[in-house]
Short mmCIF file of all heavy atoms in Angstrom, two decimals:
data_model
loop_
_atom_site.label_atom_id
_atom_site.label_comp_id
_atom_site.label_asym_id
_atom_site.label_seq_id
_atom_site.Cartn_x
_atom_site.Cartn_y
_atom_site.Cartn_z
N MET A 172 135.64 102.30 148.45
CA MET A 172 135.32 100.89 148.26
C MET A 172 134.05 100.76 147.43
O MET A 172 133.09 101.50 147.61
CB MET A 172 135.15 100.22 149.61
CG MET A 172 134.88 98.75 149.51
SD MET A 172 134.84 98.02 151.17
CE MET A 172 134.23 96.45 150.73
N ILE A 173 134.04 99.79 146.55
CA ILE A 173 132.89 99.57 145.67
C ILE A 173 131.84 98.75 146.42
O ILE A 173 132.15 97.73 147.03
CB ILE A 173 133.31 98.84 144.39
CG1 ILE A 173 134.27 99.70 143.58
CG2 ILE A 173 132.10 98.48 143.56
CD1 ILE A 173 134.81 99.00 142.35
N ASN A 174 130.61 99.22 146.36
CA ASN A 174 129.50 98.47 146.93
C ASN A 174 129.31 97.19 146.11
O ASN A 174 129.36 97.21 144.89
CB ASN A 174 128.24 99.34 146.87
CG ASN A 174 127.06 98.68 147.55
OD1 ASN A 174 127.07 97.51 147.86
ND2 ASN A 174 126.04 99.46 147.78
N LYS A 175 129.12 96.06 146.77
CA LYS A 175 129.01 94.78 146.07
C LYS A 175 127.84 94.74 145.10
O LYS A 175 127.84 93.99 144.15
CB LYS A 175 128.88 93.64 147.07
CG LYS A 175 130.16 93.36 147.81
CD LYS A 175 130.01 92.15 148.69
CE LYS A 175 131.31 91.88 149.41
NZ LYS A 175 131.24 90.68 150.22
N VAL A 176 126.83 95.57 145.34
CA VAL A 176 125.67 95.58 144.47
C VAL A 176 125.92 96.45 143.24
O VAL A 176 125.34 96.26 142.20
CB VAL A 176 124.42 96.08 145.23
CG1 VAL A 176 123.22 96.15 144.33
CG2 VAL A 176 124.13 95.17 146.41
N GLU A 177 126.86 97.39 143.35
CA GLU A 177 127.15 98.28 142.23
C GLU A 177 128.55 98.03 141.71
O GLU A 177 129.54 98.16 142.42
CB GLU A 177 127.02 99.74 142.66
CG GLU A 177 127.09 100.68 141.49
CD GLU A 177 126.71 102.09 141.86
OE1 GLU A 177 125.76 102.27 142.63
OE2 GLU A 177 127.39 102.99 141.38
N ILE A 178 128.63 97.62 140.45
CA ILE A 178 129.90 97.33 139.79
C ILE A 178 129.94 98.14 138.51
O ILE A 178 129.01 98.10 137.71
CB ILE A 178 130.04 95.83 139.47
CG1 ILE A 178 129.89 94.99 140.73
CG2 ILE A 178 131.36 95.55 138.79
CD1 ILE A 178 129.80 93.51 140.46
N CYS A 179 131.01 98.89 138.33
CA CYS A 179 131.18 99.71 137.12
C CYS A 179 129.99 100.66 136.92
O CYS A 179 129.59 100.92 135.79
CB CYS A 179 131.38 98.86 135.88
SG CYS A 179 132.85 97.83 135.95
N GLY A 180 129.41 101.12 138.00
CA GLY A 180 128.29 102.04 137.91
C GLY A 180 126.96 101.39 137.58
O GLY A 180 125.97 102.07 137.33
N VAL A 181 126.90 100.06 137.58
CA VAL A 181 125.66 99.34 137.27
C VAL A 181 125.16 98.66 138.53
O VAL A 181 125.91 97.95 139.20
CB VAL A 181 125.90 98.27 136.18
CG1 VAL A 181 124.64 97.48 135.91
CG2 VAL A 181 126.41 98.91 134.90
N ASN A 182 123.90 98.88 138.86
CA ASN A 182 123.29 98.25 140.02
C ASN A 182 122.93 96.81 139.65
O ASN A 182 121.93 96.56 138.98
CB ASN A 182 122.05 99.02 140.47
CG ASN A 182 121.46 98.47 141.74
OD1 ASN A 182 121.80 97.40 142.20
ND2 ASN A 182 120.55 99.23 142.33
N THR A 183 123.74 95.86 140.08
CA THR A 183 123.55 94.46 139.69
C THR A 183 122.32 93.83 140.34
O THR A 183 121.82 92.83 139.85
CB THR A 183 124.79 93.62 140.02
OG1 THR A 183 125.06 93.73 141.42
CG2 THR A 183 125.99 94.08 139.23
N ALA A 184 121.82 94.42 141.41
CA ALA A 184 120.62 93.88 142.06
C ALA A 184 119.40 94.00 141.15
O ALA A 184 118.45 93.23 141.29
CB ALA A 184 120.37 94.59 143.38
N LYS A 185 119.43 94.93 140.21
CA LYS A 185 118.29 95.14 139.32
C LYS A 185 118.39 94.36 138.01
O LYS A 185 117.49 94.40 137.20
CB LYS A 185 118.14 96.63 139.03
CG LYS A 185 117.77 97.44 140.25
CD LYS A 185 117.57 98.89 139.93
CE LYS A 185 117.18 99.66 141.18
NZ LYS A 185 116.97 101.08 140.91
N LEU A 186 119.51 93.68 137.81
CA LEU A 186 119.69 92.90 136.59
C LEU A 186 118.93 91.58 136.69
O LEU A 186 118.88 90.97 137.75
CB LEU A 186 121.17 92.61 136.34
CG LEU A 186 122.05 93.82 136.04
CD1 LEU A 186 123.51 93.39 135.97
CD2 LEU A 186 121.63 94.48 134.76
N PRO A 187 118.36 91.12 135.57
CA PRO A 187 117.61 89.86 135.61
C PRO A 187 118.55 88.67 135.77
O PRO A 187 119.69 88.69 135.34
CB PRO A 187 116.93 89.82 134.24
CG PRO A 187 117.81 90.63 133.35
CD PRO A 187 118.39 91.71 134.23
N MET A 188 118.03 87.63 136.42
CA MET A 188 118.76 86.36 136.52
C MET A 188 117.97 85.33 135.74
O MET A 188 116.76 85.21 135.89
CB MET A 188 118.88 85.93 137.98
CG MET A 188 119.86 86.75 138.77
SD MET A 188 120.06 86.18 140.47
CE MET A 188 120.68 84.54 140.23
N LEU A 189 118.66 84.58 134.90
CA LEU A 189 118.01 83.57 134.08
C LEU A 189 118.26 82.19 134.65
O LEU A 189 119.38 81.87 135.05
CB LEU A 189 118.55 83.62 132.65
CG LEU A 189 118.37 84.92 131.88
CD1 LEU A 189 119.09 84.83 130.54
CD2 LEU A 189 116.90 85.21 131.66
N SER A 190 117.22 81.37 134.66
CA SER A 190 117.40 79.98 135.07
C SER A 190 118.03 79.21 133.91
O SER A 190 118.09 79.70 132.78
CB SER A 190 116.04 79.36 135.42
OG SER A 190 115.26 79.21 134.24
N ASN A 191 118.49 78.01 134.18
CA ASN A 191 119.08 77.19 133.12
C ASN A 191 118.07 76.90 132.02
O ASN A 191 118.42 76.89 130.84
CB ASN A 191 119.65 75.89 133.69
CG ASN A 191 120.95 76.11 134.42
OD1 ASN A 191 121.66 77.08 134.16
ND2 ASN A 191 121.26 75.23 135.34
N GLU A 192 116.84 76.68 132.39
CA GLU A 192 115.79 76.41 131.40
C GLU A 192 115.54 77.63 130.52
O GLU A 192 115.36 77.50 129.31
CB GLU A 192 114.49 75.97 132.08
CG GLU A 192 114.59 74.61 132.75
CD GLU A 192 114.97 73.50 131.78
OE1 GLU A 192 114.41 73.46 130.66
OE2 GLU A 192 115.83 72.68 132.13
N GLU A 193 115.54 78.81 131.13
CA GLU A 193 115.36 80.04 130.36
C GLU A 193 116.52 80.23 129.39
O GLU A 193 116.32 80.61 128.24
CB GLU A 193 115.26 81.25 131.29
CG GLU A 193 113.96 81.32 132.08
CD GLU A 193 113.96 82.40 133.12
OE1 GLU A 193 114.98 82.56 133.84
OE2 GLU A 193 112.92 83.10 133.23
N LYS A 194 117.74 79.96 129.85
CA LYS A 194 118.92 80.09 128.99
C LYS A 194 118.82 79.14 127.80
O LYS A 194 119.09 79.52 126.66
CB LYS A 194 120.19 79.81 129.77
CG LYS A 194 120.55 80.90 130.75
CD LYS A 194 121.80 80.52 131.52
CE LYS A 194 122.08 81.49 132.64
NZ LYS A 194 123.23 81.11 133.45
N LYS A 195 118.43 77.90 128.06
CA LYS A 195 118.31 76.92 126.98
C LYS A 195 117.27 77.36 125.95
O LYS A 195 117.48 77.25 124.75
CB LYS A 195 117.94 75.55 127.55
CG LYS A 195 119.07 74.88 128.28
CD LYS A 195 118.61 73.56 128.87
CE LYS A 195 119.70 72.93 129.73
NZ LYS A 195 119.24 71.68 130.37
N GLY A 196 116.13 77.86 126.44
CA GLY A 196 115.08 78.33 125.54
C GLY A 196 115.53 79.51 124.71
O GLY A 196 115.25 79.59 123.51
N LEU A 197 116.23 80.44 125.36
CA LEU A 197 116.73 81.60 124.63
C LEU A 197 117.77 81.21 123.59
O LEU A 197 117.79 81.75 122.48
CB LEU A 197 117.32 82.63 125.61
CG LEU A 197 116.32 83.38 126.47
CD1 LEU A 197 117.03 84.21 127.53
CD2 LEU A 197 115.43 84.27 125.61
N LEU A 198 118.65 80.26 123.92
CA LEU A 198 119.66 79.81 122.96
C LEU A 198 119.02 79.20 121.72
O LEU A 198 119.49 79.42 120.60
CB LEU A 198 120.62 78.83 123.61
CG LEU A 198 121.65 79.45 124.56
CD1 LEU A 198 122.41 78.36 125.31
CD2 LEU A 198 122.61 80.34 123.79
N LYS A 199 117.93 78.46 121.89
CA LYS A 199 117.23 77.88 120.74
C LYS A 199 116.67 78.99 119.85
O LYS A 199 116.77 78.94 118.63
CB LYS A 199 116.09 76.97 121.20
CG LYS A 199 116.58 75.66 121.77
CD LYS A 199 115.43 74.80 122.22
CE LYS A 199 115.94 73.53 122.87
NZ LYS A 199 114.84 72.68 123.37
N LYS A 200 116.09 80.02 120.49
CA LYS A 200 115.54 81.14 119.73
C LYS A 200 116.65 81.92 119.02
O LYS A 200 116.47 82.37 117.89
CB LYS A 200 114.76 82.08 120.66
CG LYS A 200 113.48 81.49 121.19
CD LYS A 200 112.77 82.47 122.11
CE LYS A 200 111.50 81.89 122.66
NZ LYS A 200 110.81 82.83 123.56
N ILE A 201 117.78 82.08 119.70
CA ILE A 201 118.90 82.81 119.11
C ILE A 201 119.40 82.08 117.87
O ILE A 201 119.69 82.71 116.84
CB ILE A 201 120.05 82.98 120.14
CG1 ILE A 201 119.61 83.95 121.24
CG2 ILE A 201 121.32 83.47 119.47
CD1 ILE A 201 120.52 83.97 122.45
N LYS A 202 119.47 80.76 117.93
CA LYS A 202 119.93 79.97 116.78
C LYS A 202 118.99 80.14 115.59
O LYS A 202 119.40 79.99 114.44
CB LYS A 202 120.05 78.49 117.15
CG LYS A 202 121.25 78.21 118.02
CD LYS A 202 121.35 76.74 118.35
CE LYS A 202 122.56 76.49 119.24
NZ LYS A 202 122.70 75.08 119.60
N ASN A 203 117.72 80.46 115.87
CA ASN A 203 116.74 80.69 114.81
C ASN A 203 116.69 82.15 114.37
O ASN A 203 115.83 82.52 113.59
CB ASN A 203 115.35 80.23 115.26
CG ASN A 203 115.27 78.73 115.38
OD1 ASN A 203 115.90 78.01 114.62
ND2 ASN A 203 114.50 78.26 116.34
N GLY A 204 117.61 82.98 114.91
CA GLY A 204 117.71 84.36 114.45
C GLY A 204 116.92 85.38 115.24
O GLY A 204 116.76 86.51 114.78
N ASP A 205 116.41 85.03 116.41
CA ASP A 205 115.60 85.95 117.22
C ASP A 205 116.51 86.96 117.93
O ASP A 205 117.22 86.63 118.87
CB ASP A 205 114.80 85.16 118.24
CG ASP A 205 113.79 85.99 119.01
OD1 ASP A 205 113.99 87.22 119.13
OD2 ASP A 205 112.81 85.41 119.49
N GLU A 206 116.48 88.21 117.47
CA GLU A 206 117.32 89.26 118.04
C GLU A 206 116.88 89.66 119.45
O GLU A 206 117.71 90.01 120.29
CB GLU A 206 117.34 90.49 117.13
CG GLU A 206 118.15 90.30 115.87
CD GLU A 206 119.63 90.09 116.17
OE1 GLU A 206 120.19 90.79 117.02
OE2 GLU A 206 120.22 89.21 115.51
N LEU A 207 115.59 89.63 119.73
CA LEU A 207 115.11 89.98 121.08
C LEU A 207 115.59 88.95 122.11
O LEU A 207 115.95 89.30 123.23
CB LEU A 207 113.58 90.08 121.10
CG LEU A 207 112.99 91.26 120.32
CD1 LEU A 207 111.47 91.18 120.32
CD2 LEU A 207 113.46 92.58 120.89
N ALA A 208 115.59 87.68 121.72
CA ALA A 208 116.09 86.63 122.60
C ALA A 208 117.58 86.83 122.86
O ALA A 208 118.06 86.63 123.98
CB ALA A 208 115.84 85.26 121.99
N ARG A 209 118.30 87.25 121.84
CA ARG A 209 119.74 87.52 121.98
C ARG A 209 119.98 88.63 122.99
O ARG A 209 120.83 88.52 123.87
CB ARG A 209 120.33 87.90 120.62
CG ARG A 209 121.81 88.15 120.64
CD ARG A 209 122.30 88.49 119.23
NE ARG A 209 123.72 88.77 119.23
CZ ARG A 209 124.25 89.97 119.49
NH1 ARG A 209 123.47 90.99 119.73
NH2 ARG A 209 125.55 90.14 119.49
N GLU A 210 119.21 89.72 122.89
CA GLU A 210 119.36 90.84 123.82
C GLU A 210 119.04 90.40 125.25
O GLU A 210 119.73 90.78 126.20
CB GLU A 210 118.44 91.99 123.41
CG GLU A 210 118.87 92.69 122.15
CD GLU A 210 120.20 93.41 122.30
OE1 GLU A 210 120.46 93.98 123.36
OE2 GLU A 210 120.98 93.37 121.33
N GLU A 211 117.99 89.61 125.41
CA GLU A 211 117.60 89.13 126.74
C GLU A 211 118.69 88.23 127.32
O GLU A 211 119.01 88.30 128.51
CB GLU A 211 116.28 88.36 126.66
CG GLU A 211 115.71 88.00 128.01
CD GLU A 211 114.36 87.34 127.92
OE1 GLU A 211 113.70 87.42 126.87
OE2 GLU A 211 113.95 86.72 128.93
N PHE A 212 119.29 87.39 126.49
CA PHE A 212 120.37 86.50 126.93
C PHE A 212 121.59 87.31 127.37
O PHE A 212 122.19 87.03 128.40
CB PHE A 212 120.75 85.54 125.79
CG PHE A 212 121.70 84.46 126.20
CD1 PHE A 212 121.25 83.34 126.85
CD2 PHE A 212 123.05 84.58 125.94
CE1 PHE A 212 122.12 82.32 127.24
CE2 PHE A 212 123.93 83.59 126.32
CZ PHE A 212 123.46 82.46 126.97
N ILE A 213 121.93 88.32 126.61
CA ILE A 213 123.06 89.18 126.95
C ILE A 213 122.81 89.88 128.28
O ILE A 213 123.68 89.90 129.16
CB ILE A 213 123.33 90.20 125.82
CG1 ILE A 213 123.89 89.49 124.60
CG2 ILE A 213 124.28 91.31 126.30
CD1 ILE A 213 123.95 90.34 123.35
N LYS A 214 121.65 90.45 128.45
CA LYS A 214 121.32 91.14 129.71
C LYS A 214 121.32 90.16 130.87
O LYS A 214 121.70 90.51 131.98
CB LYS A 214 119.98 91.84 129.59
CG LYS A 214 120.03 93.05 128.71
CD LYS A 214 118.67 93.70 128.58
CE LYS A 214 118.72 94.86 127.60
NZ LYS A 214 117.39 95.45 127.40
N GLY A 215 120.89 88.93 130.63
CA GLY A 215 120.87 87.91 131.68
C GLY A 215 122.25 87.48 132.13
O GLY A 215 122.43 87.00 133.24
N ASN A 216 123.25 87.67 131.27
CA ASN A 216 124.63 87.30 131.61
C ASN A 216 125.48 88.49 132.03
O ASN A 216 126.64 88.32 132.39
CB ASN A 216 125.29 86.59 130.42
CG ASN A 216 124.79 85.18 130.28
OD1 ASN A 216 124.86 84.40 131.22
ND2 ASN A 216 124.26 84.85 129.12
N LEU A 217 124.90 89.66 132.04
CA LEU A 217 125.65 90.86 132.40
C LEU A 217 126.14 90.82 133.83
O LEU A 217 127.24 91.28 134.14
CB LEU A 217 124.78 92.10 132.17
CG LEU A 217 125.47 93.44 132.31
CD1 LEU A 217 126.69 93.54 131.40
CD2 LEU A 217 124.49 94.56 132.00
N ARG A 218 125.39 90.24 134.72
CA ARG A 218 125.81 90.13 136.12
C ARG A 218 127.11 89.33 136.23
O ARG A 218 128.03 89.70 136.96
CB ARG A 218 124.70 89.45 136.93
CG ARG A 218 124.92 89.48 138.41
CD ARG A 218 123.79 88.77 139.10
NE ARG A 218 122.62 89.61 139.13
CZ ARG A 218 121.75 89.63 140.12
NH1 ARG A 218 121.89 88.83 141.14
NH2 ARG A 218 120.71 90.43 140.09
N LEU A 219 127.20 88.23 135.48
CA LEU A 219 128.42 87.42 135.46
C LEU A 219 129.60 88.21 134.91
O LEU A 219 130.69 88.21 135.48
CB LEU A 219 128.21 86.15 134.63
CG LEU A 219 129.46 85.33 134.33
CD1 LEU A 219 130.05 84.77 135.62
CD2 LEU A 219 129.12 84.22 133.35
N VAL A 220 129.38 88.90 133.81
CA VAL A 220 130.44 89.69 133.18
C VAL A 220 130.95 90.74 134.15
O VAL A 220 132.17 90.92 134.32
CB VAL A 220 129.94 90.35 131.87
CG1 VAL A 220 130.94 91.34 131.33
CG2 VAL A 220 129.60 89.29 130.84
N LEU A 221 130.06 91.45 134.81
CA LEU A 221 130.47 92.50 135.74
C LEU A 221 131.23 91.93 136.93
O LEU A 221 132.16 92.55 137.42
CB LEU A 221 129.25 93.30 136.19
CG LEU A 221 128.63 94.19 135.11
CD1 LEU A 221 127.34 94.79 135.61
CD2 LEU A 221 129.59 95.26 134.65
N SER A 222 130.84 90.74 137.38
CA SER A 222 131.56 90.15 138.51
C SER A 222 132.98 89.76 138.11
O SER A 222 133.92 89.90 138.89
CB SER A 222 130.81 88.94 139.07
OG SER A 222 130.82 87.87 138.16
N VAL A 223 133.16 89.31 136.86
CA VAL A 223 134.50 88.99 136.37
C VAL A 223 135.34 90.27 136.24
O VAL A 223 136.51 90.29 136.61
CB VAL A 223 134.43 88.23 135.02
CG1 VAL A 223 135.80 88.09 134.38
CG2 VAL A 223 133.78 86.87 135.22
N VAL A 224 134.72 91.33 135.73
CA VAL A 224 135.41 92.61 135.63
C VAL A 224 135.86 93.09 137.00
O VAL A 224 136.99 93.54 137.17
CB VAL A 224 134.51 93.68 134.95
CG1 VAL A 224 135.08 95.07 135.11
CG2 VAL A 224 134.29 93.34 133.49
N GLN A 225 134.99 92.98 137.98
CA GLN A 225 135.32 93.41 139.33
C GLN A 225 136.47 92.58 139.89
O GLN A 225 137.39 93.10 140.51
CB GLN A 225 134.11 93.31 140.25
CG GLN A 225 134.41 93.79 141.65
CD GLN A 225 133.23 93.61 142.58
OE1 GLN A 225 132.40 92.73 142.37
NE2 GLN A 225 133.13 94.43 143.59
N ARG A 226 136.42 91.30 139.66
CA ARG A 226 137.43 90.40 140.22
C ARG A 226 138.81 90.60 139.61
O ARG A 226 139.82 90.58 140.29
CB ARG A 226 136.98 88.96 140.04
CG ARG A 226 137.91 87.97 140.68
CD ARG A 226 137.32 86.60 140.66
NE ARG A 226 138.22 85.68 141.33
CZ ARG A 226 138.05 84.39 141.38
NH1 ARG A 226 137.00 83.85 140.80
NH2 ARG A 226 138.92 83.62 141.99
N PHE A 227 138.85 90.77 138.29
CA PHE A 227 140.13 90.83 137.60
C PHE A 227 140.49 92.22 137.08
O PHE A 227 141.57 92.41 136.53
CB PHE A 227 140.14 89.84 136.43
CG PHE A 227 140.01 88.42 136.87
CD1 PHE A 227 138.81 87.75 136.73
CD2 PHE A 227 141.08 87.76 137.43
CE1 PHE A 227 138.67 86.43 137.14
CE2 PHE A 227 140.96 86.43 137.84
CZ PHE A 227 139.75 85.79 137.70
N GLY A 228 139.61 93.18 137.24
CA GLY A 228 139.82 94.51 136.69
C GLY A 228 141.00 95.26 137.27
O GLY A 228 141.62 96.06 136.59
N GLY A 229 141.35 95.01 138.50
CA GLY A 229 142.45 95.72 139.13
C GLY A 229 143.81 95.18 138.77
O GLY A 229 144.84 95.81 139.07
N ARG A 230 143.86 94.06 138.13
CA ARG A 230 145.15 93.45 137.78
C ARG A 230 145.71 94.08 136.52
O ARG A 230 145.03 94.23 135.51
CB ARG A 230 144.98 91.96 137.56
CG ARG A 230 144.52 91.27 138.82
CD ARG A 230 144.40 89.80 138.60
NE ARG A 230 143.87 89.18 139.81
CZ ARG A 230 143.73 87.89 139.96
NH1 ARG A 230 144.06 87.08 138.98
NH2 ARG A 230 143.24 87.40 141.07
N ARG A 231 146.96 94.46 136.60
CA ARG A 231 147.63 95.04 135.43
C ARG A 231 148.66 94.04 134.94
O ARG A 231 149.81 94.04 135.30
CB ARG A 231 148.34 96.35 135.83
CG ARG A 231 147.41 97.39 136.35
CD ARG A 231 146.65 98.00 135.18
NE ARG A 231 145.80 99.07 135.68
CZ ARG A 231 144.58 99.28 135.26
NH1 ARG A 231 144.05 98.51 134.35
NH2 ARG A 231 143.87 100.26 135.75
N ARG A 232 148.21 93.17 134.10
CA ARG A 232 149.06 92.09 133.61
C ARG A 232 149.07 92.10 132.09
O ARG A 232 148.05 92.33 131.46
CB ARG A 232 148.48 90.77 134.09
CG ARG A 232 149.47 89.74 134.35
CD ARG A 232 148.78 88.59 135.02
NE ARG A 232 149.80 87.64 135.39
CZ ARG A 232 149.59 86.46 135.87
NH1 ARG A 232 148.35 86.06 136.06
NH2 ARG A 232 150.55 85.67 136.19
N LYS A 233 150.20 91.84 131.51
CA LYS A 233 150.30 91.77 130.05
C LYS A 233 150.05 90.33 129.61
O LYS A 233 150.66 89.40 130.09
CB LYS A 233 151.69 92.21 129.59
CG LYS A 233 151.96 93.67 129.82
CD LYS A 233 153.32 94.06 129.29
CE LYS A 233 153.58 95.52 129.57
NZ LYS A 233 154.90 95.93 129.09
N PHE A 234 149.12 90.19 128.68
CA PHE A 234 148.81 88.87 128.14
C PHE A 234 149.41 88.77 126.75
O PHE A 234 149.29 89.65 125.92
CB PHE A 234 147.29 88.66 128.08
CG PHE A 234 146.65 88.63 129.41
CD1 PHE A 234 146.01 89.75 129.93
CD2 PHE A 234 146.72 87.48 130.18
CE1 PHE A 234 145.42 89.72 131.18
CE2 PHE A 234 146.12 87.45 131.43
CZ PHE A 234 145.47 88.56 131.93
N ARG A 235 150.07 87.66 126.51
CA ARG A 235 150.70 87.46 125.19
C ARG A 235 150.23 86.19 124.59
O ARG A 235 149.89 85.25 125.12
CB ARG A 235 152.21 87.42 125.33
CG ARG A 235 152.74 88.74 125.76
CD ARG A 235 154.23 88.67 125.86
NE ARG A 235 154.69 89.87 126.53
CZ ARG A 235 155.92 90.28 126.50
NH1 ARG A 235 156.81 89.62 125.83
NH2 ARG A 235 156.27 91.36 127.13
#
C-alpha cells in the first residue's frame, strides 16, 4: 500500500503549498517571462498533479 504522504516516490509533505495570492503573483511574473517564477509555480502545483496520478493511475482505460 502506498503511504498517503509518498506518491510516485515523492514525499508530498515536503512540497511547497502556494496560497491563491502567491499563485496570482507568480502568474503575473510568468506572463512577463520570469523563468524562476514559472519553476516555483510548477513545484507549487506538483502536489495536485501527484494526487491526480494517484487517484487515476490505476485505471487502464483507452481514451479516444
Side-chain angles (χ1 to χ4, degrees):
M172 183 175 170
I173 296 175
N174 185 347
K175 288 185 179 183
V176 178
E177 189 169 320
I178 303 171
C179 298
V181 177
N182 185 348
T183 57
K185 294 183 179 180
L186 294 174
M188 287 183 61
L189 300 174
S190 69
N191 285 336
E192 292 301 316
E193 289 172 316
K194 288 178 188 177
K195 288 177 186 177
L197 288 172
L198 285 171
K199 287 180 184 178
K200 290 179 181 180
I201 292 168
K202 286 181 181 180
N203 291 326
D205 188 335
E206 287 295 317
L207 291 175
R209 182 179 179 273
E210 290 295 322
E211 188 176 343
F212 188 81
I213 290 169
K214 288 178 185 177
N216 285 305
L217 188 55
R218 190 181 283 214
L219 170 65
V220 171
L221 290 173
S222 68
V223 171
V224 168
Q225 182 183 27
R226 184 171 182 186
F227 297 103
R230 297 182 184 184
R231 299 284 183 221
R232 212 171 186 187
K233 292 182 181 179
F234 295 99
R235 293 181 192 197

